[in-house]
């Protein structure tokens, strides 16, 4: 089973940018769904974005975003189709959270944001946005 390792978190001022990375311990096989979630202590875990790679040539994955980050965050994968990124632009104080990447074998567009459907999680990386 693939293990996931996040990095790139830190402190940033509102309006700034940050890029998170998620490195897998191995290679993904067949189709896969990778997602970023975030959680603030005392609050429910929130789906931020997901990437669904299902084409045989590994091109043009489907992507999904929470309304709260659309137009500001971008999920992508490197050319080797391993490392997952979350580019965070125009960040806001409400983006402060611990961010986790997660993996499962497929994505369903209507439930990609449900963390209970993912079976592999990283340890998370903290993002703090100051106003």
């Amino acid at each position: 089973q693939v293990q996931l390792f996040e990095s790139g978190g830190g402190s940033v001022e509102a309006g700034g940018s940050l890029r998170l990375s998620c490195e897998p311990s191995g290679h993904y096989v067949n189709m896969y769904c990778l997602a970023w979630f975030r959680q603030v202590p005392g609050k429910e875990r929130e789906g931020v974005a997901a990437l669904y790679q299902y084409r045989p040539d590994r091109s043009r994955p489907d992507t999904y975003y929470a309304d709260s980050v659309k137009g500001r965050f971008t999920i992508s994968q490197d050319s080797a189709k391993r490392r997952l990124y979350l580019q965070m632009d125009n960040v806001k104080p409400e983006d402060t959270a611990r961010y986790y990447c997660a993996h499962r074998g497929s994505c369903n567009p209507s439930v990609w944001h449900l963390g209970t459907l993912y079976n592999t999680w990283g340890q998370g990386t903290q993002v703090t946005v100051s106003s």
Side-chain angles (χ1 to χ4, degrees), residues 52-105:
Y52 183 23
Q53 185 60 265
Y54 58 91
R55 293 181 171 86
D57 64 355
R58 300 287 178 101
S59 67
R60 295 176 290 116
D62 290 352
T63 55
Y64 315 108
Y65 294 93
D67 289 343
S68 58
V69 305
K70 275 181 184 175
R72 300 189 299 118
F73 291 9
T74 303
I75 189 171
S76 64
Q77 203 174 11
D78 66 3
S79 59
K81 307 306 179 187
R82 293 188 68 247
R83 187 174 294 175
L84 182 72
Y85 298 108
L86 184 69
Q87 177 66 41
M88 306 169 62
D89 296 320
N90 190 24
V91 296
K92 303 176 181 180
E94 51 263 42
D95 294 323
T96 295
R98 191 165 185 84
Y99 285 71
Y100 300 86
C101 65
H103 166 266
R104 63 182 293 230

Side-chain angles (χ1 to χ4, degrees), residues 2-3 6 15 19-20 29 34 37 42 60 62 65-66 75 84 96 103 117 122:
V2 171
Q3 291 181 298
E6 302 94 337
R19 189 175 78 162
L20 306 184
V29 294
L34 299 170
F37 287 80
R60 295 176 290 116
D62 290 352
Y65 294 93
I75 189 171
L84 182 72
T96 295
H103 166 266
L117 298 178

